[in-house]
Amino acid sequence: MLPEQWQMIPNLGIAVLVTWDFMSDYGTKIAVLNSARRECQDLETEWRQLWLDVDSAAVTDSDIRERNKELSRRLGRATIPMDVHVKVSEKINVATTADAYRVTEDRYATR
């Protein structure tokens, strides 16, 4: 059996590898997340306007559907780089998705 101080080496090695993975290419991760955040903020504004335009007589249903499809495409383009450069925690993803649905429902639900 290894002396007690030698038994810590595998644990320290794992800690170093996890830290290294997180810190490596940190600038790229931050840039990707900031870019997605900015685009999502713009999209939120445009979706709010689209939501207001739904009741407008000047806007057709097909126009609303087309604008919504274009906004959805832009959302996909904005978030695709995150799939490549940022790892996802499934536990955090489930919790934040539930929170996002709650906020969206509170904000846009018909009362």
Side-chain angles (χ1 to χ4, degrees):
M1 190 130 157
L2 294 173
E4 191 172 319
Q5 64 268 27
W6 290 102
Q7 291 176 358
M8 290 181 12
I9 289 177
N11 293 334
L12 289 173
I14 291 170
V16 166
L17 288 174
V18 168
T19 303
W20 178 263
D21 180 54
F22 179 74
M23 296 304 288
S24 66
D25 211 14
Y26 186 69
T28 299
K29 292 175 185 176
I30 293 298
V32 165
L33 291 171
N34 278 330
S35 175
R37 178 186 55 84
R38 281 190 306 275
E39 182 65 16
C40 287
Q41 285 173 333
D42 292 344
L43 287 167
E44 180 182 6
T45 301
E46 292 182 47
W47 256 307
R48 284 178 193 238
Q49 184 58 51
L50 179 62
W51 189 254
L52 293 172
D53 290 346
V54 166
D55 294 327
S56 170
V59 182
T60 66
D61 286 348
S62 63
D63 184 42
I64 298 266
R65 280 192 287 277
E66 190 57 39
R67 285 171 56 192
N68 187 54
K69 281 197 308 193
E70 177 56 29
L71 293 173
S72 294
R73 280 191 288 268
R74 285 178 49 200
L75 177 62
R77 284 192 307 266
T79 57
I80 282 173
M82 292 189 314
D83 293 339
V84 175
H85 296 287
V86 181
K87 291 181 183 172
V88 175
S89 163
E90 193 62 33
K91 182 178 177 182
I92 293 172
N93 192 24
V94 169
T96 55
T97 299
D99 289 344
Y101 279 117
R102 254 190 313 281
V103 167
T104 302
E105 186 177 75
D106 290 346
R107 190 175 289 171
Y108 299 108
T110 305
R111 295 175 191 183

